Amino acid sequence: GAGVSQSPSNKVTEKGKDVELRCDPISGHTALYWYRQSLGQGLEFLIYFQGNSAPDKSGLPSDRFSAERTGGSVSTLTIQRTQQEDSAVYLCASSSDRGLKPQHFGDGTRLSIL
Amino acid sequence: GENVEQHPSTLSVQEGDSAVIKCTYSDSASNYFPWYKQELGKRPQLIIDIRSNVGEKKDQRIAVTLNKTAKHFSLHITETQPEDSAVYFCAAVHGSSNTGKLIFGQGTTLQVKP
């Protein structure tokens, strides 16, 4: 049983470019979460998917951020027109259901905006 | 919105001593409180969690206590070992939304000196 898989592990890009980050959750997990961790900080919730329900986008910091989850499995987080303040580690987690079930994290994507 | 405060930000103990990390939360509807351990450059790993219907949970050298009235919960590590050195994060689920969205504390850097 593989854990949560994220790619790429590192991404360096120029300010203004668009980036796509990928998350492959644990097989069978219906809930998928994206968090952001800035240097030396805690984790900040971004967005949540559960089955076919509408995602909870309440944590997205601006309209430059969007995410989708195709077929109830793989998710892609897209950041358009990147800014330097977007530099952070983007972590994905999945759980077998929403609410009180443990969330298991991937290794994250370290995004650096030059 | 929900807020989670974590103290101390850094903690240094001698090997074999106990370590205690405390967190307070603001949303009285929160009902799930996980603790994560994050080693440098690694993913957060769930080490223990507690639900609001219990006051204490123990797993070998690790225990968590919850005081719902005071809205605080604590992590206790006994007989600390150098491999316990890491950053520890507490979290509280955003209870009113029932999405499993976690609100994290700012983290405690634990150093166990051999």
Side-chain angles (χ1 to χ4, degrees):
Chain A
V4 176
S5 177
Q6 290 187 247
S7 61
S9 54
N10 284 282
K11 177 73 175 179
V12 181
T13 193
E14 293 180 346
K15 176 182 172 181
K17 300 286 188 183
D18 297 352
V19 295
E20 283 190 355
L21 313 179
R22 176 189 167 104
C23 173
D24 200 342
I26 293 172
S27 178
H29 278 191
T30 57
L32 186 149
Y33 306 81
W34 284 97
Y35 295 87
R36 177 169 71 174
Q37 186 173 29
S38 300
L39 186 64
Q41 300 295 310
L43 285 75
E44 173 191 15
F45 169 82
L46 296 177
I47 188 169
Y48 154 78
F49 296 89
Q50 168 62 36
N52 295 321
S53 302
D56 178 348
K57 304 179 182 180
S58 60
L60 294 179
S62 78
D63 58 8
R64 297 186 295 104
F65 287 72
S66 63
E68 63 178 19
R69 188 178 185 193
T70 54
S73 181
V74 172
S75 176
T76 302
L77 177 69
T78 301
I79 308 173
Q80 296 178 310
R81 306 181 302 282
T82 53
Q83 303 294 313
Q84 287 188 331
E85 60 264 28
D86 299 335
S87 296
V89 176
Y90 289 82
L91 289 157
C92 176
S94 70
S95 69
S96 59
D97 198 354
R98 62 186 178 184
L100 306 190
K101 297 297 172 60
Q103 295 181 26
H104 301 276
F105 283 85
D107 287 329
T109 293
R110 183 174 298 277
L111 177 64
S112 300
I113 309 299
L114 302 179
Chain B
E2 171 76 286
N3 186 48
V4 176
E5 296 287 336
Q6 183 171 346
H7 299 281
S9 56
T10 60
L11 180 59
S12 182
V13 299
Q14 209 65 38
E15 181 178 1
D17 288 349
S18 296
V20 180
I21 303 170
K22 300 181 179 181
C23 290
T24 60
Y25 60 98
S26 60
D27 186 354
S28 57
S30 290
N31 55 5
Y32 175 66
F33 307 90
W35 285 88
Y36 286 85
K37 174 184 180 182
Q38 188 176 32
E39 297 177 7
L40 190 62
K42 300 285 184 64
R43 69 180 70 185
Q45 296 267 17
L46 179 71
I47 55 172
I48 196 166
D49 57 11
I50 191 167
R51 290 165 173 74
S52 60
N53 57 345
V54 297
E56 184 173 0
K57 182 176 179 181
K58 190 173 182 180
D59 182 4
Q60 300 183 348
R61 297 186 297 108
I62 295 173
V64 57
T65 59
L66 171 65
N67 183 326
K68 289 176 57 180
T69 303
K71 291 190 285 189
H72 67 70
F73 56 112
S74 300
L75 178 72
H76 304 254
I77 307 174
T78 58
E79 301 172 24
T80 53
Q81 302 167 3
E83 52 265 37
D84 294 330
S85 296
V87 180
Y88 291 80
F89 292 98
C90 64
V93 74
H94 194 272
S96 60
S97 68
N98 196 33
T99 64
K101 177 170 77 175
L102 292 176
I103 308 300
F104 283 83
Q106 290 302 298
T108 296
T109 300
L110 173 64
Q111 181 186 31
V112 180
K113 299 176 182 178

